[in-house]
Amino acid sequence: MNSSLLTRARLAATGSLAAVALVLAGCGGGEDSAEAPPPASTEHAAPSEEGGGHDDHDHEAAEETGAAAMGQSFDTALELASWVAEETGECADPTPANEEEFRDFVGPLLIGLYEPYVGEWATCAVPPHDKLGLVIFDPDRFTEFQESWRDAVEEGEVRGNPDWSFGNGFAVTSGPTGAEEMGLHYLWCAPVDIEDAHLIPADAEGCDFAHHGHH
């Protein structure tokens, strides 16, 4: 995780916490705990159910491929928290979190695949999650994250795809919540047998951002 993560989290905590919640971070404990991921091939559980795109938000495709095709990005956890509150109507007890808490949250098996690329994260309650997480990736490192996951799949380090759902440079640590309620996408670097999924070629060759179903 970037060395500035804790500093940024503290700055976010002191200033605008009253403004709607620093909500960046994950499910109730461990990587994606409280919610069984949709039917797909993942390493902890494969994400498959995807929400559709946003018709009334900035998630309409701005580019044909890559993260930019998913639209709006966020510079800070506070901005992302405000958006999550708008999308879900929920964001209770927003809490900035530090590097140690991130390690505990993600767990030892996957920390090496996430931590080097994460800039900020925080937690808030979005039922059914006591701690739903939103993550902002370091600028210019989101592609590296995708490549590292692809390589881990190819080398057999993981068996499938992340359980998180992704937007343009950010993620929600419950894939189904992010996909179904916020219109976010899964990252598929391992094959997934879902014929009606809408695919956007990811920034990393051999991976796609995918969603199916409805938002």
Side-chain angles (χ1 to χ4, degrees):
M1 180 178 298
N2 188 297
S3 61
S4 65
L5 181 150
L6 184 52
T7 300
R8 282 190 251 171
R10 285 173 177 161
L11 288 174
T14 53
S16 312
L17 244 185
V20 180
L22 189 49
V23 183
L24 224 232
C27 317
E31 229 244 288
D32 263 299
S33 58
E35 195 161 11
S41 113
T42 38
E43 81 62 346
H44 260 12
S48 68
E49 275 204 21
E50 284 296 336
H54 282 230
D55 294 331
D56 54 351
H57 288 88
D58 293 331
H59 279 267
E60 295 177 357
E63 302 289 343
E64 292 183 359
T65 64
M70 295 186 288
Q72 183 176 11
S73 62
F74 301 97
D75 294 326
T76 68
L78 280 175
E79 291 177 5
L80 181 57
S82 297
W83 179 77
V84 170
E86 291 175 3
E87 293 296 296
T88 66
E90 303 279 357
C91 186
D93 301 323
T95 306
N98 62 28
E99 182 174 351
E100 182 178 355
E101 291 169 306
F102 185 78
R103 287 176 169 270
D104 290 342
F105 185 87
V106 174
L109 296 179
L110 297 178
I111 188 63
L113 290 171
Y114 288 116
E115 184 183 37
Y117 311 102
V118 171
E120 295 184 36
W121 86 291
T123 64
C124 77
V126 176
H129 308 288
D130 293 333
K131 288 185 178 181
L132 176 68
L134 300 181
V135 171
I136 288 188
F137 290 89
D138 269 336
D140 305 320
R141 299 212 71 189
F142 190 34
T143 297
E144 291 181 54
F145 163 73
Q146 300 166 40
E147 292 170 342
S148 72
W149 197 285
R150 176 201 62 200
D151 294 345
V153 170
E154 291 176 351
E155 294 165 10
E157 183 180 347
V158 294
R159 290 175 294 147
N161 300 304
D163 292 336
W164 295 7
S165 56
F166 298 87
N168 185 1
F170 65 93
V172 174
T173 57
S174 167
T177 297
E180 295 169 11
E181 296 191 38
M182 303 174 212
L184 301 181
H185 292 66
Y186 289 102
L187 175 66
W188 288 353
C189 297
V192 178
D193 186 17
I194 297 179
E195 294 182 359
D196 64 345
H198 176 261
L199 303 180
I200 298 171
D203 306 284
E205 185 177 355
C207 299
D208 294 296
F209 294 114
H211 71 75
H212 72 91
H214 60 279
H215 169 55

